[in-house]
Amino acid sequence: LNPPKNPMEQDVESPAGIRKPKLPKQAREDQPKQLAEMDRAKKIQRYVQKDGKCNVHHGNVRETYRYLTDIFTTLVDLKWRFNLFIFVLVYTVTWLFFGLMWWLIAYLRGDLDHIADAQWTPCVNNLNGFVSAFLFSIETETTIGYGYRVITDKCPEGIVLLLVQSVLGSIVNAFMVGCMFVKISQPKKRAETLVFSTNAVISMRDGRLCLMFRVGDLRNSHIVEASIRAKLIKSKQTKEGEFIPLNQTDINVGYNTGDDRLFLVSPLIICHEINQHSPFWEISQVHLAKEELEIVVILEGMVEATGEHAHS
């Protein structure tokens, strides 16, 4: 028989004797991996976000006048709120400027002093102040023509101003409406229905070690002349000791065989063979998990419905 235990020994337990709750094997194996992936995700910043936006901010740009040399592209690249603000501002400033010019002509000719004189022929009939001149400017530039305010043939300076406003108004309309049309017709939203697999895998395929991922289109209207490219973003140090941050290396996804030209009707598996020409050839499985690298995949093509060029 075993001797009875000391009551003092029953109340006091050593740290070694305390049992931790058992976890399933899968949970015990995945927990350190998940924590490591979370810590790594916090440290590494992405070069390209999941939605396709580049996580690069241009700073210390001194030659800002270069943006004004291509004002059309600058306006198209602006955010919608700024674009709409400039659209309204341009028209408002134009109407106010020419309204001021019509009021100035009426003031210099003395039309405002002979409003009630039936014998006086004004430059613009029924123009009795700045508000009416502003309304006439809007009617002239938008070709509304209500018929209440009409320019007369006794005002040559008014005829010249009418020609100038008509020409400049057409230029403003062509520029701003064209800018808004290009802004609306940009096929950026089309890229949201092009989906990629969440994870890329490395496995054997036909006896070759390959990096594979899947891409698919959710819409019934297809992407015509679709092609796909892949880039490896990884810092590099040359043999001469030069450090190149965010170096871009091409990943062959079928350029030699034509497999990069896709008929994207159903989901397709994109394959990259890891051979002597692959940037992953000298990276082992152990070092791959520790490497700070990023793979950027670019899918380009034309939208079948609109003919616009889209990329994702």
Side-chain angles (χ1 to χ4, degrees):
L1 297 176
N2 295 328
K5 293 182 179 180
N6 190 351
M8 296 297 296
E9 294 179 357
Q10 294 179 358
D11 294 337
V12 179
E13 295 182 355
S14 62
I18 300 176
R19 293 184 178 180
K20 298 181 180 180
K22 289 187 177 181
L23 296 175
K25 183 179 179 181
Q26 187 67 22
R28 294 199 306 269
E29 293 178 353
D30 292 347
Q31 193 174 11
K33 294 180 181 179
Q34 293 176 357
L35 294 175
E37 291 178 357
M38 291 175 62
D39 294 339
R40 186 183 180 188
K42 292 179 181 178
K43 296 179 181 178
I44 301 177
Q45 293 183 352
R46 295 186 60 90
Y47 185 70
V48 178
Q49 300 294 341
K50 285 289 187 180
D51 56 358
K53 296 181 180 179
C54 295
N55 193 20
V56 178
H57 301 280
H58 297 281
N60 197 20
V61 179
R62 298 180 181 179
E63 298 179 353
T64 55
Y65 67 92
R66 296 183 180 273
Y67 293 103
L68 299 178
T69 57
D70 189 9
I71 188 64
F72 186 83
T73 305
T74 302
L75 290 177
V76 172
D77 290 340
L78 288 177
K79 295 182 179 180
W80 267 108
R81 55 180 178 267
F82 300 116
N83 206 290
L84 292 174
F85 174 75
I86 293 176
F87 184 85
V88 175
L89 182 64
V90 168
Y91 277 104
T92 304
V93 170
T94 305
W95 295 337
L96 287 172
F97 172 77
F98 283 103
L100 180 63
M101 296 300 295
W102 286 112
W103 175 84
L104 186 61
I105 290 176
Y107 176 78
L108 295 177
R109 292 183 78 254
D111 295 343
L112 300 180
D113 299 330
H114 299 82
I115 295 177
D117 189 357
Q119 302 297 326
W120 181 266
T121 302
C123 184
V124 180
N125 290 328
N126 301 313
L127 194 150
N128 51 18
F130 178 76
V131 176
S132 59
F134 175 70
L135 293 177
F136 180 72
S137 174
I138 296 177
E139 294 175 22
T140 302
E141 190 164 336
T142 58
T143 64
I144 294 176
Y146 290 115
Y148 183 70
R149 298 179 182 86
V150 183
I151 187 172
T152 62
D153 56 355
K154 302 298 182 180
C155 182
E157 60 271 20
I159 296 175
V160 174
L161 181 60
L162 179 65
L163 294 175
V164 173
Q165 185 174 4
S166 299
V167 173
L168 292 181
S170 300
I171 295 175
V172 170
N173 289 333
F175 188 85
M176 298 308 300
V177 174
C179 179
M180 294 299 294
F181 177 77
V182 173
K183 185 76 173 177
I184 294 173
S185 61
Q186 281 185 326
K188 291 184 178 180
K189 297 297 181 181
R190 180 63 176 89
E192 294 184 0
T193 54
L194 297 174
V195 293
F196 294 85
S197 56
T198 305
N199 300 315
V201 298
I202 297 178
S203 63
M204 300 298 296
R205 193 181 199 189
D206 294 334
R208 298 172 299 176
L209 188 63
C210 298
L211 169 70
M212 294 176 288
F213 58 90
R214 180 172 290 185
V215 60
D217 190 3
L218 301 180
R219 287 189 179 273
N220 294 327
S221 60
H222 306 307
I223 297 293
V224 184
E225 294 292 334
S227 62
I228 193 167
R229 295 181 292 125
K231 292 286 185 178
L232 175 65
I233 310 298
K234 181 178 179 295
S235 300
K236 175 185 176 181
Q237 188 170 4
T238 63
K239 296 179 180 179
E240 294 78 14
E242 179 186 1
F243 180 76
I244 305 176
L246 302 177
N247 182 61
Q248 298 184 11
T249 306
D250 187 68
I251 299 176
N252 190 358
V253 289
Y255 177 77
N256 299 329
T257 60
D259 292 337
D260 61 330
R261 313 292 294 184
L262 307 180
F263 183 51
L264 199 59
V265 177
S266 60
L268 299 176
I269 296 178
I270 310 301
C271 181
H272 164 67
E273 180 182 355
I274 302 178
N275 51 24
Q276 292 86 348
H277 305 287
S278 173
F280 300 101
W281 178 253
E282 297 181 355
I283 303 177
S284 64
Q285 181 179 0
V286 178
H287 290 85
L288 184 61
K290 301 178 181 180
E291 288 285 344
E292 295 184 1
L293 54 86
E294 184 176 345
I295 300 176
V296 179
V297 180
I298 305 170
L299 177 63
E300 297 178 321
M302 288 191 304
V303 182
E304 183 183 26
T306 61
E308 295 287 342
H309 187 77
H311 67 277
S312 174

